[in-house]
Amino acid sequence: RRVHGGVLGIVTMPRVEKVVSLYQEYFKASDPNHTDDQLWDALFLLRLNSFALHQLLLLHRHQKSHINHLALVCSRYMDSDNITRKLHAFETLTVVISSVFRMPQQTAAVDIASVHTLCGVERVDTFFQTITSQIKQSLCMKDTHPILIAALNLVFTIIVSCDNINQNMLLEYFMMDSMALELIQVLNAPPPLTLICRYLYLHA
């Protein structure tokens, strides 16, 4: 949308948010596997724009290699020593998973198609071993630490990603490495954490 303003009514275009321009730059890359790490270092320092990312994921839903690589990069940065990058990696992966399961699929096997789009069937075991390990560590954080909340949001997103729980192939892989003890401890925690859990579950 054009904005009229300035001296003599000069037409100016609105500035694109930095994080959105990085999303756009990534999806324009011909080979996502050769994306410079500097892009990810910069992107995960910026606050997530979940709406813009969701729209771009839907727009570029046929670029499975880009979506695969984005999810794998998120799993890597979930282990970052930088708290901001770690938090934003959790949040970004949550949007990616949510968006993938809302994509129109070309096959009746929605669960398999979604897993293939997310991380590739051949890498799904390694992918979920990595993210469940990071989630379990994050659930052990105290009180209402932002990363603990982000980890819970990711858990609930995975659980409710598919309308029919029997078709939720993500949940099958996700539960291979049980985190029941960690979840029970969180759910038994006093308010306000239990209230936050309820809110995240209802809005996942």
Side-chain angles (χ1 to χ4, degrees), residues 87-108:
L87 173 63
H88 292 162
F90 269 95
E91 294 175 340
T92 301
L93 184 59
T94 300
V95 174
V96 172
I97 291 175
S98 178
S99 299
V100 164
F101 268 82
R102 284 165 174 74
M103 291 177 180
Q105 304 293 347
Q106 302 301 316
T107 173

PDB file of all heavy atoms in Angstrom, residues 87-108:
ATOM      1  N   LEU A  87      14.845 -18.715  22.518  1.00  0.00           N
ATOM      2  CA  LEU A  87      13.424 -18.432  22.643  1.00  0.00           C
ATOM      3  C   LEU A  87      12.758 -18.287  21.286  1.00  0.00           C
ATOM      4  O   LEU A  87      11.705 -18.878  21.015  1.00  0.00           O
ATOM      5  CB  LEU A  87      13.224 -17.149  23.459  1.00  0.00           C
ATOM      6  CG  LEU A  87      11.788 -16.618  23.554  1.00  0.00           C
ATOM      7  CD1 LEU A  87      10.898 -17.619  24.271  1.00  0.00           C
ATOM      8  CD2 LEU A  87      11.780 -15.264  24.253  1.00  0.00           C
ATOM      9  N   HIS A  88      13.384 -17.521  20.403  1.00  0.00           N
ATOM     10  CA  HIS A  88      12.795 -17.274  19.089  1.00  0.00           C
ATOM     11  C   HIS A  88      12.816 -18.519  18.209  1.00  0.00           C
ATOM     12  O   HIS A  88      11.962 -18.675  17.324  1.00  0.00           O
ATOM     13  CB  HIS A  88      13.502 -16.107  18.410  1.00  0.00           C
ATOM     14  CG  HIS A  88      13.251 -14.801  19.099  1.00  0.00           C
ATOM     15  ND1 HIS A  88      14.051 -13.685  18.902  1.00  0.00           N
ATOM     16  CD2 HIS A  88      12.288 -14.432  19.991  1.00  0.00           C
ATOM     17  CE1 HIS A  88      13.584 -12.691  19.641  1.00  0.00           C
ATOM     18  NE2 HIS A  88      12.517 -13.122  20.311  1.00  0.00           N
ATOM     19  N   ALA A  89      13.765 -19.409  18.447  1.00  0.00           N
ATOM     20  CA  ALA A  89      13.779 -20.680  17.712  1.00  0.00           C
ATOM     21  C   ALA A  89      12.579 -21.538  18.115  1.00  0.00           C
ATOM     22  O   ALA A  89      11.914 -22.135  17.262  1.00  0.00           O
ATOM     23  CB  ALA A  89      15.079 -21.431  17.982  1.00  0.00           C
ATOM     24  N   PHE A  90      12.288 -21.591  19.417  1.00  0.00           N
ATOM     25  CA  PHE A  90      11.094 -22.305  19.897  1.00  0.00           C
ATOM     26  C   PHE A  90       9.835 -21.712  19.264  1.00  0.00           C
ATOM     27  O   PHE A  90       8.971 -22.437  18.761  1.00  0.00           O
ATOM     28  CB  PHE A  90      10.986 -22.197  21.422  1.00  0.00           C
ATOM     29  CG  PHE A  90      11.657 -23.315  22.171  1.00  0.00           C
ATOM     30  CD1 PHE A  90      12.948 -23.172  22.650  1.00  0.00           C
ATOM     31  CD2 PHE A  90      10.990 -24.506  22.412  1.00  0.00           C
ATOM     32  CE1 PHE A  90      13.572 -24.192  23.356  1.00  0.00           C
ATOM     33  CE2 PHE A  90      11.600 -25.536  23.119  1.00  0.00           C
ATOM     34  CZ  PHE A  90      12.896 -25.379  23.593  1.00  0.00           C
ATOM     35  N   GLU A  91       9.728 -20.396  19.308  1.00  0.00           N
ATOM     36  CA  GLU A  91       8.533 -19.716  18.805  1.00  0.00           C
ATOM     37  C   GLU A  91       8.373 -19.901  17.301  1.00  0.00           C
ATOM     38  O   GLU A  91       7.259 -20.106  16.804  1.00  0.00           O
ATOM     39  CB  GLU A  91       8.593 -18.230  19.154  1.00  0.00           C
ATOM     40  CG  GLU A  91       8.523 -17.950  20.647  1.00  0.00           C
ATOM     41  CD  GLU A  91       8.701 -16.495  21.002  1.00  0.00           C
ATOM     42  OE1 GLU A  91       9.253 -15.729  20.163  1.00  0.00           O
ATOM     43  OE2 GLU A  91       8.315 -16.093  22.109  1.00  0.00           O
ATOM     44  N   THR A  92       9.488 -19.840  16.576  1.00  0.00           N
ATOM     45  CA  THR A  92       9.431 -19.999  15.121  1.00  0.00           C
ATOM     46  C   THR A  92       9.005 -21.407  14.739  1.00  0.00           C
ATOM     47  O   THR A  92       8.160 -21.592  13.849  1.00  0.00           O
ATOM     48  CB  THR A  92      10.805 -19.670  14.490  1.00  0.00           C
ATOM     49  OG1 THR A  92      11.169 -18.325  14.823  1.00  0.00           O
ATOM     50  CG2 THR A  92      10.761 -19.821  12.974  1.00  0.00           C
ATOM     51  N   LEU A  93       9.567 -22.418  15.408  1.00  0.00           N
ATOM     52  CA  LEU A  93       9.195 -23.801  15.104  1.00  0.00           C
ATOM     53  C   LEU A  93       7.718 -24.040  15.397  1.00  0.00           C
ATOM     54  O   LEU A  93       7.048 -24.786  14.674  1.00  0.00           O
ATOM     55  CB  LEU A  93      10.059 -24.772  15.894  1.00  0.00           C
ATOM     56  CG  LEU A  93       9.815 -26.255  15.590  1.00  0.00           C
ATOM     57  CD1 LEU A  93      10.058 -26.567  14.118  1.00  0.00           C
ATOM     58  CD2 LEU A  93      10.702 -27.137  16.468  1.00  0.00           C
ATOM     59  N   THR A  94       7.199 -23.409  16.439  1.00  0.00           N
ATOM     60  CA  THR A  94       5.779 -23.535  16.765  1.00  0.00           C
ATOM     61  C   THR A  94       4.913 -23.035  15.612  1.00  0.00           C
ATOM     62  O   THR A  94       3.938 -23.692  15.226  1.00  0.00           O
ATOM     63  CB  THR A  94       5.451 -22.744  18.051  1.00  0.00           C
ATOM     64  OG1 THR A  94       6.235 -23.257  19.131  1.00  0.00           O
ATOM     65  CG2 THR A  94       3.975 -22.856  18.395  1.00  0.00           C
ATOM     66  N   VAL A  95       5.283 -21.900  15.038  1.00  0.00           N
ATOM     67  CA  VAL A  95       4.539 -21.352  13.895  1.00  0.00           C
ATOM     68  C   VAL A  95       4.674 -22.264  12.681  1.00  0.00           C
ATOM     69  O   VAL A  95       3.704 -22.500  11.957  1.00  0.00           O
ATOM     70  CB  VAL A  95       5.024 -19.929  13.556  1.00  0.00           C
ATOM     71  CG1 VAL A  95       4.347 -19.414  12.280  1.00  0.00           C
ATOM     72  CG2 VAL A  95       4.738 -18.976  14.705  1.00  0.00           C
ATOM     73  N   VAL A  96       5.870 -22.788  12.458  1.00  0.00           N
ATOM     74  CA  VAL A  96       6.101 -23.665  11.307  1.00  0.00           C
ATOM     75  C   VAL A  96       5.209 -24.910  11.401  1.00  0.00           C
ATOM     76  O   VAL A  96       4.530 -25.279  10.432  1.00  0.00           O
ATOM     77  CB  VAL A  96       7.583 -24.082  11.209  1.00  0.00           C
ATOM     78  CG1 VAL A  96       7.773 -25.150  10.129  1.00  0.00           C
ATOM     79  CG2 VAL A  96       8.458 -22.869  10.891  1.00  0.00           C
ATOM     80  N   ILE A  97       5.197 -25.558  12.564  1.00  0.00           N
ATOM     81  CA  ILE A  97       4.379 -26.771  12.733  1.00  0.00           C
ATOM     82  C   ILE A  97       2.899 -26.457  12.576  1.00  0.00           C
ATOM     83  O   ILE A  97       2.162 -27.168  11.878  1.00  0.00           O
ATOM     84  CB  ILE A  97       4.657 -27.419  14.106  1.00  0.00           C
ATOM     85  CG1 ILE A  97       6.081 -28.003  14.127  1.00  0.00           C
ATOM     86  CG2 ILE A  97       3.627 -28.514  14.413  1.00  0.00           C
ATOM     87  CD1 ILE A  97       6.501 -28.560  15.468  1.00  0.00           C
ATOM     88  N   SER A  98       2.453 -25.398  13.212  1.00  0.00           N
ATOM     89  CA  SER A  98       1.052 -25.000  13.108  1.00  0.00           C
ATOM     90  C   SER A  98       0.660 -24.708  11.664  1.00  0.00           C
ATOM     91  O   SER A  98      -0.403 -25.117  11.194  1.00  0.00           O
ATOM     92  CB  SER A  98       0.801 -23.763  13.984  1.00  0.00           C
ATOM     93  OG  SER A  98      -0.534 -23.325  13.858  1.00  0.00           O
ATOM     94  N   SER A  99       1.538 -24.026  10.940  1.00  0.00           N
ATOM     95  CA  SER A  99       1.249 -23.656   9.552  1.00  0.00           C
ATOM     96  C   SER A  99       1.238 -24.867   8.630  1.00  0.00           C
ATOM     97  O   SER A  99       0.382 -24.979   7.744  1.00  0.00           O
ATOM     98  CB  SER A  99       2.287 -22.637   9.055  1.00  0.00           C
ATOM     99  OG  SER A  99       2.248 -21.456   9.826  1.00  0.00           O
ATOM    100  N   VAL A 100       2.177 -25.777   8.837  1.00  0.00           N
ATOM    101  CA  VAL A 100       2.268 -26.972   7.989  1.00  0.00           C
ATOM    102  C   VAL A 100       0.982 -27.790   8.069  1.00  0.00           C
ATOM    103  O   VAL A 100       0.473 -28.286   7.060  1.00  0.00           O
ATOM    104  CB  VAL A 100       3.492 -27.828   8.384  1.00  0.00           C
ATOM    105  CG1 VAL A 100       3.384 -29.230   7.801  1.00  0.00           C
ATOM    106  CG2 VAL A 100       4.775 -27.159   7.914  1.00  0.00           C
ATOM    107  N   PHE A 101       0.427 -27.925   9.266  1.00  0.00           N
ATOM    108  CA  PHE A 101      -0.786 -28.715   9.422  1.00  0.00           C
ATOM    109  C   PHE A 101      -2.038 -27.978   8.970  1.00  0.00           C
ATOM    110  O   PHE A 101      -3.122 -28.557   8.960  1.00  0.00           O
ATOM    111  CB  PHE A 101      -0.925 -29.192  10.868  1.00  0.00           C
ATOM    112  CG  PHE A 101      -0.310 -30.550  11.083  1.00  0.00           C
ATOM    113  CD1 PHE A 101       1.054 -30.676  11.282  1.00  0.00           C
ATOM    114  CD2 PHE A 101      -1.080 -31.697  11.041  1.00  0.00           C
ATOM    115  CE1 PHE A 101       1.640 -31.919  11.460  1.00  0.00           C
ATOM    116  CE2 PHE A 101      -0.504 -32.946  11.208  1.00  0.00           C
ATOM    117  CZ  PHE A 101       0.855 -33.063  11.411  1.00  0.00           C
ATOM    118  N   ARG A 102      -1.890 -26.728   8.595  1.00  0.00           N
ATOM    119  CA  ARG A 102      -3.018 -25.978   8.044  1.00  0.00           C
ATOM    120  C   ARG A 102      -2.911 -25.804   6.536  1.00  0.00           C
ATOM    121  O   ARG A 102      -3.735 -25.135   5.916  1.00  0.00           O
ATOM    122  CB  ARG A 102      -3.129 -24.615   8.733  1.00  0.00           C
ATOM    123  CG  ARG A 102      -3.719 -24.719  10.125  1.00  0.00           C
ATOM    124  CD  ARG A 102      -3.509 -23.465  10.951  1.00  0.00           C
ATOM    125  NE  ARG A 102      -4.204 -23.535  12.241  1.00  0.00           N
ATOM    126  CZ  ARG A 102      -3.812 -24.263  13.269  1.00  0.00           C
ATOM    127  NH1 ARG A 102      -2.729 -25.012  13.170  1.00  0.00           N
ATOM    128  NH2 ARG A 102      -4.490 -24.271  14.404  1.00  0.00           N
ATOM    129  N   MET A 103      -1.881 -26.411   5.965  1.00  0.00           N
ATOM    130  CA  MET A 103      -1.704 -26.330   4.519  1.00  0.00           C
ATOM    131  C   MET A 103      -2.638 -27.297   3.811  1.00  0.00           C
ATOM    132  O   MET A 103      -2.838 -28.426   4.281  1.00  0.00           O
ATOM    133  CB  MET A 103      -0.253 -26.664   4.133  1.00  0.00           C
ATOM    134  CG  MET A 103       0.756 -25.636   4.569  1.00  0.00           C
ATOM    135  SD  MET A 103       2.446 -26.140   4.147  1.00  0.00           S
ATOM    136  CE  MET A 103       3.379 -24.745   4.795  1.00  0.00           C
ATOM    137  N   PRO A 104      -3.204 -26.893   2.671  1.00  0.00           N
ATOM    138  CA  PRO A 104      -4.013 -27.840   1.898  1.00  0.00           C
ATOM    139  C   PRO A 104      -3.117 -28.927   1.330  1.00  0.00           C
ATOM    140  O   PRO A 104      -2.154 -28.647   0.631  1.00  0.00           O
ATOM    141  CB  PRO A 104      -4.614 -26.967   0.787  1.00  0.00           C
ATOM    142  CG  PRO A 104      -3.690 -25.791   0.686  1.00  0.00           C
ATOM    143  CD  PRO A 104      -3.145 -25.559   2.057  1.00  0.00           C
ATOM    144  N   GLN A 105      -3.406 -30.173   1.667  1.00  0.00           N
ATOM    145  CA  GLN A 105      -2.585 -31.287   1.214  1.00  0.00           C
ATOM    146  C   GLN A 105      -3.184 -31.908  -0.047  1.00  0.00           C
ATOM    147  O   GLN A 105      -4.392 -31.874  -0.262  1.00  0.00           O
ATOM    148  CB  GLN A 105      -2.472 -32.350   2.317  1.00  0.00           C
ATOM    149  CG  GLN A 105      -1.927 -31.808   3.626  1.00  0.00           C
ATOM    150  CD  GLN A 105      -0.479 -31.375   3.556  1.00  0.00           C
ATOM    151  OE1 GLN A 105       0.224 -31.679   2.595  1.00  0.00           O
ATOM    152  NE2 GLN A 105      -0.019 -30.662   4.563  1.00  0.00           N
ATOM    153  N   GLN A 106      -2.303 -32.478  -0.861  1.00  0.00           N
ATOM    154  CA  GLN A 106      -2.728 -33.080  -2.122  1.00  0.00           C
ATOM    155  C   GLN A 106      -2.952 -34.578  -1.995  1.00  0.00           C
ATOM    156  O   GLN A 106      -3.079 -35.277  -2.984  1.00  0.00           O
ATOM    157  CB  GLN A 106      -1.670 -32.808  -3.203  1.00  0.00           C
ATOM    158  CG  GLN A 106      -1.392 -31.332  -3.426  1.00  0.00           C
ATOM    159  CD  GLN A 106      -2.627 -30.562  -3.824  1.00  0.00           C
ATOM    160  OE1 GLN A 106      -3.399 -31.022  -4.662  1.00  0.00           O
ATOM    161  NE2 GLN A 106      -2.838 -29.393  -3.229  1.00  0.00           N
ATOM    162  N   THR A 107      -2.978 -35.082  -0.766  1.00  0.00           N
ATOM    163  CA  THR A 107      -3.128 -36.515  -0.543  1.00  0.00           C
ATOM    164  C   THR A 107      -4.045 -36.764   0.633  1.00  0.00           C
ATOM    165  O   THR A 107      -4.186 -35.909   1.510  1.00  0.00           O
ATOM    166  CB  THR A 107      -1.746 -37.180  -0.277  1.00  0.00           C
ATOM    167  OG1 THR A 107      -1.975 -38.541   0.088  1.00  0.00           O
ATOM    168  CG2 THR A 107      -1.009 -36.467   0.839  1.00  0.00           C
ATOM    169  N   ALA A 108      -4.658 -37.913   0.659  1.00  0.00           N
ATOM    170  CA  ALA A 108      -5.530 -38.257   1.785  1.00  0.00           C
ATOM    171  C   ALA A 108      -4.719 -38.508   3.045  1.00  0.00           C
ATOM    172  O   ALA A 108      -5.210 -38.358   4.153  1.00  0.00           O
ATOM    173  CB  ALA A 108      -6.360 -39.490   1.439  1.00  0.00           C
TER     174      ALA A 108
END
